[in-house]
Amino acid sequence: MAKILVTGGIGYIGSHTVVELHNAGYEVLIVDNLSNSSIKILDQLHKITGKYHEFVELDLQDTFAVNNFAEQHSDIDGIIHFAAYKAVGESVREPLKYYKNNFYSLINLLTAYPKTNFVFSSSCTVYGQPDHLPVTEDSPVKKAESPYGNTKQIAEEILEETAKVTPGLNVIALRYFNPVGAHKTALIGELPNGVPQNLVPFITQSAIGKRGAIQVFGDDYDTPDGSAVRDYIHVVDLAKAHVAAVKRLEDGKVNGYDVFNLGTGKGSSVLEIIHAFEQSTGEKLDYQIAPRREGDVEKTYGDVTKSKNVLGWQTELDLNEMMRSAWEWEKYLRDNPF
């Protein structure tokens, strides 16, 4: 049984990926520094999988700690690297925090595990504001709109250049669009600290009475209804793509570095998301238009042909299921506070 190290493994996408790795028969080792996650997720994972997965609390910025960890856990067959700061707005306000954390953690991992199959959690933000839609993996990587986006761009360059000169290091970077939703059990989902930086958890918290009106940042974009457009993907579909990437690396089908877009291939506006939530849950939302937010891209959605044809993966869950599952998770949190 292959053993996969999942960094940030009790975070939002990481925890769902642990479930799908377990379902696919992998042994999982989780590391997380708990800066944007809860240790209670380990119990939730046990409820879903029937297993307590091995967990180590580790700050990947700490070079000594990472090297010591690697000496004790040298039997790793692959790495999925989620651990990173991820809020666009916060990165604009605190760029050094993002550069320090997101680069040190990656470099420390690559140094400690120089010849291990590596799946990197990248982002569609590497495309910036695209000239043409949908974006493909060959679309230009433009100047980032935020420090967060810039960390993803530079991290991809680090990985590609390192893989080029390191025999045995094979890398897949997954550029995903906007993950939303929660597991069908409503036992795990997005768990933001403080005020959510992303749209859907703010919607669910507003609907349940935890937040005030939803701010729609901009209604004057060049989009059908004036609000920003994104490609939203169910987190469970996204998790399954990481398993597909691990398998492709295991099968020796990657020589060096490759990259894939992960999304539905369809854009949805902020206002469309609000209306989809209302339709799928029966809850009425209070929202208001606010000025554009610095660092936001007007519209982006991806061409996922390569992921379908080469990775053998495509999405299965629609927008209504994304909204419904996110709402079920929010209600679970209300009744079972973390």
Side-chain angles (χ1 to χ4, degrees), residues 3-300:
K3 187 173 186 178
I4 307 299
L5 171 63
V6 182
T7 74
I10 57 175
Y12 177 40
I13 306 171
S15 60
H16 287 82
T17 301
V18 168
V19 171
E20 297 307 323
L21 286 167
H22 172 86
N23 291 344
Y26 290 95
E27 182 181 355
V28 180
L29 171 58
I30 302 170
V31 301
D32 202 298
N33 70 355
L34 305 179
S35 66
N36 193 33
S37 55
S38 169
I39 193 67
K40 294 180 181 178
I41 293 297
L42 290 176
D43 292 328
Q44 303 298 95
L45 290 172
H46 175 255
K47 292 175 185 175
I48 295 171
T49 66
K51 179 177 180 178
Y52 277 108
H53 300 278
E54 185 177 1
F55 169 74
V56 177
E57 185 175 348
L58 178 66
D59 184 353
L60 294 173
Q61 295 181 76
D62 186 334
T63 303
F64 176 80
V66 172
N67 290 337
N68 186 54
F69 171 86
E71 289 178 7
Q72 297 176 33
H73 300 276
S74 59
D75 58 339
I76 299 299
D77 298 297
I79 297 171
I80 303 179
H81 182 43
F82 292 109
Y85 294 145
K86 62 177 184 176
V88 169
E90 183 185 56
S91 78
V92 172
R93 297 189 300 271
E94 300 183 68
L96 288 181
K97 173 181 177 179
Y98 275 66
Y99 290 125
K100 181 174 182 288
N101 180 72
N102 293 6
F103 291 148
Y104 283 13
S105 60
L106 174 62
I107 292 168
N108 284 339
L109 269 179
L110 289 173
T111 303
Y113 291 100
K115 297 185 178 182
T116 305
N117 287 337
F118 201 102
V119 179
F120 178 62
S121 168
S122 191
S123 169
C124 66
T125 58
V126 302
Y127 298 117
Q129 178 58 63
D131 293 325
H132 304 285
L133 291 171
V135 290
T136 73
E137 290 83 356
D138 296 322
S139 295
V141 173
K142 302 177 69 176
K143 180 175 173 58
E145 300 283 331
S146 68
Y148 163 73
N150 202 28
T151 67
K152 294 300 185 183
Q153 289 184 358
I154 296 172
E156 283 197 17
E157 293 172 0
I158 290 170
L159 286 161
E160 184 173 14
E161 291 164 1
T162 305
K164 190 182 298 183
V165 297
T166 310
L169 174 63
N170 296 308
V171 178
I172 288 179
L174 299 176
R175 293 173 178 167
Y176 31 91
F177 287 75
N178 291 61
V180 297
H183 194 261
K184 63 184 179 182
T185 60
L187 291 170
I188 55 174
E190 191 164 5
L191 192 65
N193 283 338
V195 179
Q197 299 294 309
N198 297 326
L199 175 63
V200 174
F202 199 100
I203 284 176
T204 60
Q205 289 190 9
S206 177
I208 213 157
K210 192 175 179 179
R211 303 288 168 200
I214 299 156
Q215 304 292 302
V216 177
F217 295 107
D219 66 345
D220 56 350
Y221 286 114
D222 183 19
T223 62
D225 61 22
S227 63
V229 167
R230 300 288 183 270
D231 187 342
Y232 294 88
I233 175 176
H234 198 294
V235 67
V236 172
D237 282 333
L238 186 58
K240 290 178 178 178
H242 290 78
V243 178
V246 167
K247 290 180 176 177
R248 184 166 179 80
L249 288 164
E250 281 184 332
D251 291 343
K253 295 181 178 178
V254 178
N255 182 20
Y257 178 84
D258 205 355
V259 61
F260 294 90
N261 284 340
L262 299 181
T264 62
K266 176 183 180 298
S268 299
S269 73
V270 173
L271 290 173
E272 283 181 291
I273 294 296
I274 288 172
H275 299 324
F277 180 87
E278 292 178 326
Q279 178 180 349
S280 61
T281 66
E283 299 291 328
K284 186 67 178 173
L285 294 173
D286 180 20
Y287 65 91
Q288 58 192 33
I289 306 301
R292 295 186 184 189
R293 184 172 56 179
E294 187 178 3
D296 277 350
V297 171
E298 177 175 271
K299 53 187 171 183
T300 185

